[in-house]
Amino acid sequence: MKRENNDTVVSIKDLVVHYETHEGVVEAVNGVSFEIKKGEVLGLVGETGAGKTTIALSIMGLLPVPPAHVIDGEIILDGEILLGKQKVQKGRKKKDVVVAKSNHEMRHIRGKKVSMIFQDPMTALNPVRYVGDQIAEVVELHNICSAKEATQRAKEMMEKVGIPAERYYEYPHQFSGGMRQRVIIAIALACEPELLLADEPTTALDVTIQAQVLDMMRTLQREQQTALLMITHDLGIVAEMCDRCAIIYGGQIVECGDLEHIFDRPRHPYTRGLLSSIPSLEKDVSRLSPIPGLVADPMDLPEYCTFYDRCDKHCESCKTGDPDLVEAEPGHFVRCFRVEKGSV
Amino acid sequence: MAFLEINNLKKYFHTPKGMLHAVDDVTLTMEKGTTLGVVGESGCGKSTLGKTLMKLHEATAGEVWFDGVNIVPMTVKEFAPYRDKIQMIFQDPYGSLDPRMSVGNLIAEPLKVNRKIKDKKLLHIKVEELMDAVGLARRLRNSYPHELDGGRRQRIGVARALSLDPEFIVCDEPVSALDVSIQAQILNLLQDLQEERNLTYLFITHDMSVVKHIADEIAVMYLGQVVEKCASDELFKNTLHPYSRALLSAIPIPNIHVERKPILLTGELSSPINPKPCCRFVARCPYATDKCHQTEPKLREVLPGHFVACHLVDAAGAKIYKE
Ligand SMILES: Nc1ncnc2c1ncn2[C@@H]1O[C@H](COP(=O)(O)OP(=O)(O)OP(=O)(O)O)[C@@H](O)[C@H]1O
Ligand SMILES: Nc1ncnc2c1ncn2[C@@H]1O[C@H](COP(=O)(O)OP(=O)(O)OP(=O)(O)O)[C@@H](O)[C@H]1O
Ligand code: SF4
Ligand SMILES: [Mg+2]
Ligand SMILES: [Mg+2]
């Protein structure tokens, strides 16, 4: 089914994903919604275990099932439903069940419409195949073209990411970390996907190499008008690369908006805490102001606001339930009772 | 004499492809109670420098004067009284702790090994004192590392390093594996402990905003060598070495009103194996001249307390290269 739409490339609605393990249920993603338009870069920022990778894997259809279990939600990519609720006959009754595309169907979508750069760069390349062939392979898989054309396209992509095409017939171990990451980006963008999910794409790299890789990613993203989900914990990268930003905590988006909203007028106590924990290059402070306590444990989330325990603004009424994501100003959404009431 | 003086320290490794110059002629001094930040790309020799100072690696050449004595030629036995005074905190709180030991035992272990405190009751008290000092709740005494988060595990690492009342601590990327909100907690802890105990830190990191915050002085390393060293503020205000400039310009800044123009280097870190007698940065340097290809620039003091190793910075600290 195709849905006529403006230029929204991907839309995620009310996504809920759990991991059902022996130790208990990990509530990894708890009602996440967002959209990314053509050519737009959305930053997804959060700490360890916040659910960032789980969201990306849900879009890719690569969640490990079991233990992963999509409880609820809808994902539409380029008008096509990747995951959504369907009425299924269960005994006498019809029940809503979340149905995802099969692995077979997804194989034609992955690489072509959506690509992902994975968090662990060491596992992403095959150590015993030429790097060039690894790029050509995705092109061949999706474009009905000859092997020769695919090789040509792979060489073009290598040049685009700043690797001389004559290094086509080399193995990953002959490349430095930065070059390997650029090969991974070349593979991800070879088929000009509508959507690129980049999961901490430069975390393993040195800053000087990171600067090269980010610069190259941005150039290609603009050229191909790719919608990009940039997962990172580095707010510096967000400031530099993104158009909008979503801050995620305990599997929920707690604040979302344009960069001016997040950086100049952050409202959620967590976003504010995050910004003030980073040592600044511009200002000298003798002591940092960390957020007290520990990162939320998705195996043991409270019924009320997930940030309550660490929040310096909490009051008794914050314990009455789970706050909604509310529009605090046009385009700026915040999930906090006190912001909602206008008391912070 | 300064509290710590490192003179022409070298650490080479034999490898199948030749001699790897991991630390190549490093000279640094540190005063007691200060923090020297060491920054530079992966593989530039930061950890090797730290380990050589602790005598976990035997130096290939050079001297390390610790509080007036050269520890490099010392035998294991001679070094023993100094070992307690020099400790290390590692990056990976997960990998550096024995998973089968409880928190209490992990903290007590260095004390037991060194037979510092033999009495069980006193040991118990000392462990509790250490737990208090690093902000670990006493009830966690019987927990195991896997039950704790990264921040608390790093607190165990700090407590272990403190247990023998050291004077000098090599902190090797102590916060790199932690979330920013937790990272700030550990940085504050390290600062408090330094003030209380007059500790001297060699603080290794690749995060420039962390090093600017915590360090009094910064040494920038490139392929085994120190290319620039000066007070922390001075490095950011008056960056002289082309590599330091590229490094600082590349940091993404979490402020949307700052226009950042990174100096994009071409090429990547060259091999530290059998390096040629030229500037180590020459292959990536945008300003390299013939001289840079022919002779190795030496680290020299061009402004009071500001050291740089580059042919294109003159004796008065003026940059001869055009940006
Ligand atoms: N295969 C799995 N089985 C069980 N639990 C899992 C699995 N994968 C992830 N989790 C848990 O789900 C939660 C969310 O994990 P996720 O990897 O999405 O977080 P993240 O935001 O990407 O974190 P990080 O910044 O560490 O990469 C975590 O608590 C994690 O331990
Ligand atoms: N035991 C060893 N044997 C041989 N080579 C080594 C050994 N230890 C380190 N090296 C090499 O010495 C050089 C410096 O390594 P070192 O670990 O000191 O770098 P680093 O600056 O700490 O890097 P990182 O930021 O990645 O931790 C590297 O080229 C490394 O491969
Ligand atoms: S000595 Fe030459 S090559 Fe080395 S950093 Fe200075 S200008 Fe660049
Ligand atoms: Mg992740
Ligand atoms: Mg190291």
Side-chain angles (χ1 to χ4, degrees):
Chain A
M1 185 178 86
K2 279 254 173 194
R3 276 194 194 170
E4 287 314 311
N5 216 327
N6 39 33
D7 49 358
T8 299
V9 172
V10 68
S11 117
I12 295 184
K13 251 201 216 124
D14 304 319
L15 185 69
V16 179
V17 184
H18 290 176
Y19 293 98
E20 285 152 9
T21 70
H22 292 298
E23 290 84 48
V25 177
V26 182
E27 298 177 339
V29 178
N30 305 300
V32 163
S33 306
F34 60 79
E35 285 184 357
I36 313 178
K37 292 192 168 61
K38 194 171 171 64
E40 188 181 46
V41 185
L42 175 69
L44 186 61
V45 176
E47 291 177 275
T48 313
K52 305 178 296 294
T53 300
T54 304
I55 293 172
L57 292 176
S58 309
I59 303 172
M60 289 294 281
L62 286 176
L63 283 172
V65 182
H69 181 181
V70 180
I71 307 286
D72 197 1
E74 184 185 62
I75 300 177
I76 300 173
L77 175 69
D78 196 24
E80 200 167 350
I81 299 175
L82 301 188
L83 190 138
K85 271 195 239 164
Q86 275 176 20
K87 292 232 182 288
V88 171
Q89 198 80 35
K90 278 238 168 133
R92 291 236 191 107
K93 283 191 202 134
K94 280 203 168 171
K95 260 186 104 179
D96 273 340
V97 190
V98 182
V99 181
K101 274 203 188 297
S102 70
N103 198 23
H104 179 77
E105 291 170 301
M106 280 310 291
R107 212 168 285 165
H108 295 281
I109 294 169
R110 284 196 292 262
K112 188 168 182 176
K113 288 207 162 161
V114 54
S115 279
M116 180 160 171
I117 297 169
F118 291 89
Q119 197 166 359
D120 183 4
M122 298 321 280
T123 57
L125 294 175
N126 184 339
V128 297
R129 295 198 55 199
Y130 295 137
V131 289
D133 281 347
Q134 299 191 44
I135 306 171
E137 183 185 65
V138 266
V139 182
E140 230 174 313
L141 183 70
H142 292 293
N143 296 8
I144 314 155
C145 70
S146 66
K148 210 171 148 201
E149 282 163 350
T151 306
Q152 195 47 44
R153 174 77 183 146
K155 287 187 173 164
E156 263 171 52
M157 281 311 291
M158 286 178 74
E159 294 283 351
K160 274 197 178 164
V161 298
I163 300 172
E166 69 235 29
R167 303 198 63 173
Y168 187 102
Y169 298 102
E170 284 184 30
Y171 293 103
H173 72 87
Q174 291 168 283
F175 281 30
S176 69
M179 287 167 81
R180 261 178 287 189
Q181 196 62 349
R182 276 180 273 161
V183 171
I184 290 166
I185 293 167
I187 292 174
L189 292 176
C191 293
E192 309 203 358
E194 310 280 328
L195 175 66
L196 176 63
L197 310 167
D199 195 355
E200 309 258 3
T202 56
T203 305
L205 303 177
D206 287 310
V207 278
T208 55
I209 310 289
Q210 168 172 286
Q212 287 172 17
V213 170
L214 290 180
D215 184 69
M216 185 219 84
M217 263 180 93
R218 191 167 29 196
T219 309
L220 283 179
Q221 180 268 335
R222 287 202 181 134
E223 205 177 288
Q224 302 186 358
Q225 283 294 298
T226 321
L228 172 60
L229 181 70
M230 186 78 181
I231 297 176
T232 177
H233 59 261
D234 186 339
L235 284 161
I237 292 182
V238 174
E240 200 143 294
M241 294 280 293
C242 301
D243 302 309
R244 282 189 306 131
C245 175
I247 309 282
I248 180 163
Y249 189 80
Q252 288 180 322
I253 291 177
V254 295
E255 184 155 11
C256 177
D258 297 338
L259 293 195
E260 293 81 59
H261 299 143
I262 303 294
F263 286 93
D264 293 348
R265 297 189 294 281
R267 299 293 299 276
H268 197 283
Y270 176 62
T271 313
R272 291 181 175 203
L274 215 48
L275 283 162
S276 68
S277 325
I278 317 169
S280 164
L281 284 174
E282 296 148 334
K283 276 178 291 188
D284 282 321
V285 288
S286 59
R287 273 180 77 82
L288 300 171
S289 333
I291 304 174
L294 306 177
V295 175
D297 175 4
M299 196 102 99
D300 185 22
L301 294 176
E303 299 283 310
Y304 41 88
C305 172
T306 317
F307 191 59
Y308 182 88
D309 296 339
R310 304 179 76 188
C311 185
D312 58 351
K313 295 282 186 292
H314 71 191
C315 62
E316 262 321 294
S317 61
C318 299
K319 272 193 139 170
T320 53
D322 204 5
D324 290 323
L325 196 61
V326 174
E327 193 160 14
E329 62 183 303
H332 184 185
F333 297 83
V334 186
R335 189 188 293 279
C336 168
F337 284 123
R338 300 214 56 190
V339 171
E340 201 178 329
K341 284 195 214 122
S343 56
V344 284
Chain B
M1 191 172 227
F3 175 66
L4 189 80
E5 272 197 36
I6 305 169
N7 292 326
N8 306 100
L9 191 68
K10 294 183 183 173
K11 176 63 202 172
Y12 294 174
F13 293 106
H14 286 280
T15 71
K17 286 187 183 160
M19 198 59 102
L20 189 151
H21 296 219
V23 172
D24 208 1
D25 208 8
V26 165
T27 297
L28 292 168
T29 54
M30 287 183 74
E31 295 301 335
K32 199 166 168 68
T34 63
T35 300
L36 173 66
V38 177
V39 298
E41 257 155 301
S42 179
C44 72
K46 305 180 294 295
S47 298
T48 305
L49 173 64
K51 287 181 185 161
T52 312
L53 295 181
M54 295 199 62
K55 279 175 82 77
L56 291 175
H57 285 319
E58 198 187 325
T60 307
E63 301 167 344
V64 176
W65 294 84
F66 179 79
D67 216 1
V69 285
N70 182 6
I71 59 171
V72 168
M74 284 184 178
T75 60
V76 175
K77 212 165 163 197
E78 287 166 341
F79 183 61
Y82 295 92
R83 168 146 289 154
D84 300 358
K85 297 188 180 159
I86 309 177
Q87 292 293 321
M88 192 152 178
I89 301 171
F90 298 91
Q91 165 175 7
D92 182 8
Y94 314 85
S96 56
L97 301 174
D98 183 342
R100 292 159 305 181
M101 282 169 83
S102 70
V103 173
N105 283 335
L106 281 166
I107 297 173
E109 190 195 37
L111 293 161
K112 284 188 194 157
V113 172
N114 283 44
R115 307 227 175 89
K116 262 223 156 156
I117 303 175
K118 287 177 197 129
D119 183 79
K120 267 204 164 158
K121 259 216 186 96
L122 288 179
L123 190 64
H124 191 95
I125 294 171
K126 177 78 180 176
V127 168
E128 286 191 341
E129 275 173 18
L130 285 164
M131 291 183 78
D132 292 347
V134 301
L136 275 171
R138 290 185 185 184
R139 67 182 158 79
L140 297 174
R141 206 190 160 98
N142 297 316
S143 306
Y144 287 85
H146 73 266
E147 298 168 343
L148 305 178
D149 63 289
R152 280 183 172 144
R153 278 188 276 222
Q154 194 52 288
R155 288 178 197 269
I156 302 175
V158 177
R160 277 167 64 92
L162 287 180
S163 61
L164 301 170
D165 296 319
E167 294 176 21
F168 177 61
I169 303 183
V170 174
C171 309
D172 193 353
E173 310 253 11
V175 296
S176 305
L178 304 175
D179 283 315
V180 283
S181 70
I182 307 296
Q183 168 182 310
Q185 295 175 5
I186 301 292
L187 290 174
N188 282 351
L189 171 67
L190 290 173
Q191 276 182 316
D192 292 345
L193 292 170
Q194 177 168 50
E195 264 167 45
E196 274 164 41
R197 300 167 187 232
N198 199 26
L199 295 170
T200 309
Y201 291 148
L202 185 87
F203 196 99
I204 297 170
T205 178
H206 58 261
D207 186 328
M208 294 305 297
S209 47
V210 166
V211 81
K212 174 160 195 267
H213 176 73
I214 197 129
D216 303 299
E217 286 194 296
I218 300 176
V220 180
M221 282 185 77
Y222 195 82
L223 277 179
Q225 299 186 323
V226 173
V227 295
E228 186 158 8
K229 186 217 175 192
C230 58
S232 175
D233 298 345
E234 169 78 1
L235 182 69
F236 286 85
K237 277 201 297 259
N238 184 24
T239 322
L240 293 178
H241 196 282
Y243 173 65
S244 312
R245 295 186 72 80
L247 187 66
L248 298 192
S249 78
I251 311 161
I253 295 171
N255 182 334
I256 52 173
H257 304 292
V258 179
E259 184 64 47
R260 191 185 66 120
K261 279 191 210 73
I263 302 168
L264 293 179
L265 297 175
T266 50
E268 302 188 35
L269 206 66
S270 24
S271 163
I273 295 171
N274 302 330
K276 293 195 191 70
C278 60
C279 173
R280 301 274 159 100
F281 186 53
V282 75
R284 296 168 79 190
C285 183
Y287 320 113
T289 62
D290 287 346
K291 191 176 178 192
C292 308
H293 285 274
Q294 288 148 7
T295 47
E296 191 173 285
K298 290 273 168 252
L299 190 72
R300 63 218 152 90
E301 189 167 10
V302 294
L303 290 168
H306 196 151
F307 297 79
V308 64
C310 171
H311 291 308
L312 298 184
V313 176
D314 73 14
K319 296 186 281 263
I320 309 172
Y321 58 89
K322 273 209 207 77
E323 289 151 48

